[in-house]
Amino acid sequence: MKYILLLLILTNMFADNILTNYRIHGIADIEKQMDKELAKEEYWNDILKNKDTAFGYIEAYSNILTCDKSKSKLDLYSLDKNKDFKHKKAYDAFTGKNKGDKIKEGDLKTPIGIYQITKKLSKNTKLDSFYGPLAFVTSYPNLYDSYRGRDGDGIWIHGLPTNQSRDDFTRGCIAINNTSIECLDRNIDISKTILIINDTKVKQDVSKKTLAAILAQLYAWRYNWIYDDINGYLSFYSNEFVKDDGMNFKDFKSYKARIFQKNERKSIVFNNINIFPYPNTSNVYQINFKEFYKSDTFKFEGDKTLIVELDKSNKIHILTEK
């Protein structure tokens, strides 16, 4: 509480009004006003002013791997001392035999999308020599893949065979030579690395204005959630929404209405927020963050992902979430 009051005074943000409300109504009223401020684009425009947004808005990752399938390249970008993502390494890469986005298992295509690296495999984990000394397992199919009905699995970044020959393409994975895969291993922490794959160069000119609009709406969505405005909350969802468990928008509305009717006091905190434009789209973005949720009857702490579509006015419409 002392920290909140000090912050308000130091930043000269409506301090007199806040202190008066605190004196009369207590800390809950201050929290509500602060939650409103987080839902304003002006706040986020200031945050983004000197931030590197070449790939999007990024809080949780220190390394970005980009794969341009058209050039058979895997590039590593890492944060420098100025908190900017700088190109660090380039690796020649083999990708799937067939062009385009992966749709189904066995189509010999490398997927287009945004993926986490979930695991490292090596000789110590009995990795087959076909994959070289190391392999990194990706999160394909991701939430957006599943929403669009993509299937298959086992998309890795791996090395080359140590005891046999191979073709100049893969069944969908990204393969780099063994010296390169060992170099990559030395240069990344997989828990802080994101992989972006596209048929062309991965976008590096993300609009700060668009990011500010998305961030403000993310916190407006949160505001409506905290303060039980069911209509405001649902206004951020697309009519084509389908939850990761298959729940459609009609059933989701009924489910949320029952929860909001409880009128419980809630604490909802987001951190490690990341927003990326989705490859091969013009208006779809992936948002992921850590969510800390606590009410009288439920507690959750974990990863949250939203796939949103922007309309012409930069209004977000949530297509799916997990």
Side-chain angles (χ1 to χ4, degrees):
M1 184 174 69
K2 290 180 180 178
Y3 174 77
I4 294 174
L5 293 174
L6 179 60
L7 177 62
L8 292 169
I9 292 168
L10 289 175
T11 57
N12 198 30
M13 291 173 54
F14 45 86
D16 291 341
N17 185 41
I18 286 288
L19 288 169
T20 299
N21 285 336
Y22 171 65
R23 177 172 59 82
I24 297 171
H25 302 293
I27 194 68
D29 197 68
I30 291 179
E31 290 177 351
K32 189 170 185 177
Q33 290 189 57
M34 293 296 285
D35 289 330
K36 279 185 179 179
E37 292 299 313
L38 289 173
K40 293 181 178 179
E41 288 188 34
E42 294 86 350
Y43 169 78
W44 292 104
N45 282 326
D46 190 57
I47 293 293
L48 294 169
K49 192 180 301 179
N50 298 312
K51 190 171 179 65
D52 180 5
T53 58
F55 294 100
Y57 179 81
I58 302 168
E59 291 184 353
Y61 301 107
S62 55
N63 298 296
I64 299 172
L65 284 169
T66 68
C67 180
D68 179 347
K69 294 197 291 177
S70 69
K71 293 185 177 179
S72 299
K73 289 289 185 182
L74 181 69
D75 289 280
L76 172 62
Y77 296 82
S78 298
L79 280 179
D80 65 9
K81 61 182 180 180
N82 296 318
K83 301 296 182 182
D84 294 327
F85 282 96
K86 297 298 184 184
H87 188 262
K88 190 171 184 180
K89 300 284 183 181
Y91 307 107
D92 293 324
F94 299 103
T95 55
K97 180 179 181 180
N98 294 328
K99 295 181 180 180
D101 195 2
K102 187 171 186 62
I103 297 174
K104 61 183 180 179
E105 186 171 3
D107 62 11
L108 303 181
K109 296 178 182 179
T110 300
I112 293 172
I114 303 167
Y115 303 98
Q116 295 175 322
I117 298 175
T118 60
K119 188 188 301 184
K120 182 176 81 171
L121 304 175
S122 67
K123 295 177 182 178
N124 294 333
T125 54
K126 299 182 179 179
L127 178 67
D128 190 297
S129 64
F130 179 81
Y131 301 105
L134 291 168
F136 298 104
V137 180
T138 78
S139 59
Y140 177 87
N142 65 20
L143 180 63
Y144 194 40
D145 294 323
S146 298
Y147 176 79
R148 295 176 296 164
R150 270 55 168 167
D151 64 16
D153 57 16
I155 301 299
W156 299 355
I157 303 171
H158 60 73
L160 303 181
T162 54
N163 298 319
Q164 65 244 64
S165 60
R166 63 158 296 128
D167 297 320
D168 291 337
F169 56 83
T170 72
R171 290 172 290 182
C173 293
I174 299 167
I176 59 180
N177 70 47
N178 294 337
T179 301
S180 295
I181 198 76
E182 289 172 335
C183 172
L184 181 60
D185 183 42
R186 291 192 298 271
N187 280 280
I188 64 170
D189 174 348
I190 64 173
S191 68
K192 296 180 180 179
T193 301
I194 197 81
L195 169 66
I196 308 174
I197 309 171
N198 203 354
D199 269 337
T200 59
K201 184 178 180 180
V202 172
K203 192 172 184 180
Q204 294 186 46
D205 57 350
V206 184
S207 162
K208 291 180 187 289
K209 180 180 179 181
T210 300
L211 291 172
I214 294 173
L215 284 158
Q217 290 177 80
L218 177 66
Y219 275 87
W221 173 71
R222 170 184 173 269
Y223 181 90
N224 291 324
W225 191 2
I226 292 174
Y227 299 105
D228 293 313
D229 181 350
I230 185 67
N231 292 326
Y233 176 81
L234 291 173
S235 72
F236 289 99
Y237 285 83
S238 167
N239 290 331
E240 305 301 316
F241 173 81
V242 179
K243 201 170 181 292
D244 69 304
D245 60 5
M247 184 185 295
N248 62 28
F249 185 49
K250 180 180 178 181
D251 292 340
F252 181 77
K253 285 196 296 184
S254 298
Y255 164 68
K256 284 295 182 180
R258 291 194 299 272
I259 292 175
F260 275 54
Q261 284 172 0
K262 294 179 181 179
N263 200 28
E264 297 177 306
R265 178 167 172 77
K266 294 182 286 289
S267 171
I268 304 173
V269 176
F270 299 160
N271 63 31
N272 286 344
I273 299 170
N274 310 281
I275 301 175
F276 298 99
Y278 208 88
N280 207 31
T281 71
S282 61
N283 62 343
V284 176
Y285 288 75
Q286 176 178 295
I287 308 171
N288 66 280
F289 51 91
K290 289 285 186 183
E291 178 186 303
F292 301 85
Y293 176 99
K294 186 177 181 181
S295 69
D296 296 334
T297 59
F298 184 71
K299 183 178 180 180
F300 170 79
E301 178 181 326
D303 296 325
K304 184 88 169 185
T305 300
L306 308 176
I307 301 295
V308 305
E309 186 175 49
L310 270 60
D311 63 22
K312 291 180 180 179
S313 64
N314 274 350
K315 165 75 173 177
I316 69 171
H317 302 274
I318 302 171
L319 299 175
T320 184
E321 69 177 51
K322 181 179 180 180

